[in-house]
Amino acid sequence: MLISTTINDALIQLGVINPIDEATPQDHAFGLRTLNRIVDSYNTQNLLITYLQDKVMPTPVAGWGNAVTIGTGKDIDTAAPIETQAAFFRQGSTDYALTVMTFNEWVNIPDKTTIQIPSKYYIQYTDDNDSKIYFDTVPQSDLVLHLLAKMPYTGVNSVGNDYLPTDDIAWNFGFEKMLMLRLAAELAPSYEIQASPVLLSLAEEAENNVKTRNYQPKTLSTSSGLSSIYSSYRRRF
């Protein structure tokens, strides 16, 4: 969803614009600044605002190995995800899905030097917010790694630029509604509008729902590998 859509919907809630209208560039800019302040406030409450991204991982400068580190200044020099939900390699126009393995499964692979299209991976999250990804084989040089990644929203994207209202953000479950309603409540005084009790109640309800979901233990019955990843992530935060 475009960030501008979240801002528009917040202004529609307040009656500033009609549902068929588009906010002005000035309204979008102010709304985004206010949204970023709201996100910053949530982050200080240990409520991390996240979004999902198909994150493309370029081939490391030194070439693929059967284990590479993702992070700023690392083998794959880019912001590391805080959680990975799926992965695949793309070769031209063909995708090859990767299934999760445990670290013990990786250790027990007798020959890790074979160069081909991997079929399994394991991700280890380190204390310095980097990620190390292990493959069952060494990836071919013509492969591009894609991760369905959960990324933190901090107002700055993975390449260090400020987000724009026209940027498309796939907010994690429940976050878009919470942020839209909270943004409407925050913007109301600036437009000399009294936020209604209904709006404030809906914003509080959406926030409580997200917090309840956010603080539930993260478990996954279908994969012991992913379960260990979730457990590692919970210990870090």
Side-chain angles (χ1 to χ4, degrees), residues 11 28 38 52 58 61 64 73 87-88 96 114-115 119 130 165 172-173 175 190 203 205 211 215 221 223 227 232 234:
L11 294 175
H28 279 156
I38 293 171
L52 300 177
V61 174
W64 288 109
F88 66 90
Y96 298 89
T114 302
I115 300 176
S119 61
D130 295 330
N172 203 12
F173 302 111
F175 284 130
S190 299
E205 179 184 9
K211 286 183 175 180
Y215 296 132
S221 60
S223 169
S227 296
S232 174
R234 289 169 55 205

Side-chain angles (χ1 to χ4, degrees), residues 29-44:
F30 179 63
L32 181 56
R33 292 197 302 273
T34 305
L35 177 66
N36 287 341
R37 294 187 193 106
I38 293 171
V39 170
D40 185 61
S41 176
Y42 281 132
N43 288 338
T44 64

Side-chain angles (χ1 to χ4, degrees), residues 68-83 123-133 232 236:
V68 293
T69 302
I70 305 168
T72 305
K74 304 299 182 180
D75 300 324
I76 300 178
D77 189 5
T78 185
I82 59 173
E83 185 181 307
I123 289 187
Q124 182 181 54
Y125 298 93
T126 65
D127 291 336
D128 54 0
N129 295 325
D130 295 330
S131 303
K132 191 164 188 177
I133 184 165
S232 174
R236 290 175 53 210

Side-chain angles (χ1 to χ4, degrees), residues 51 53 55 72 77-79 151 156-161 163:
Y51 63 96
Q53 181 184 42
K55 197 163 179 60
T72 305
D77 189 5
T78 185
M151 303 295 295
V156 178
N157 62 27
S158 59
V159 295
N161 297 324
Y163 278 104

Side-chain angles (χ1 to χ4, degrees), residues 165-184:
T166 51
D167 286 334
D168 195 0
I169 295 289
W171 300 108
N172 203 12
F173 302 111
F175 284 130
E176 197 280 332
K177 180 180 180 180
M178 178 190 74
L179 291 173
M180 184 273 291
L181 292 170
R182 184 56 65 192
L183 180 60

Side-chain angles (χ1 to χ4, degrees), residues 129-170:
N129 295 325
D130 295 330
S131 303
K132 191 164 188 177
I133 184 165
Y134 300 82
F135 303 107
D136 57 342
T137 64
V138 177
Q140 298 172 190
S141 60
D142 60 342
L143 298 175
V144 177
L145 176 63
H146 286 249
L147 302 179
L148 178 58
K150 182 185 290 187
M151 303 295 295
Y153 179 89
T154 61
V156 178
N157 62 27
S158 59
V159 295
N161 297 324
D162 292 341
Y163 278 104
L164 300 174
T166 51
D167 286 334
D168 195 0
I169 295 289

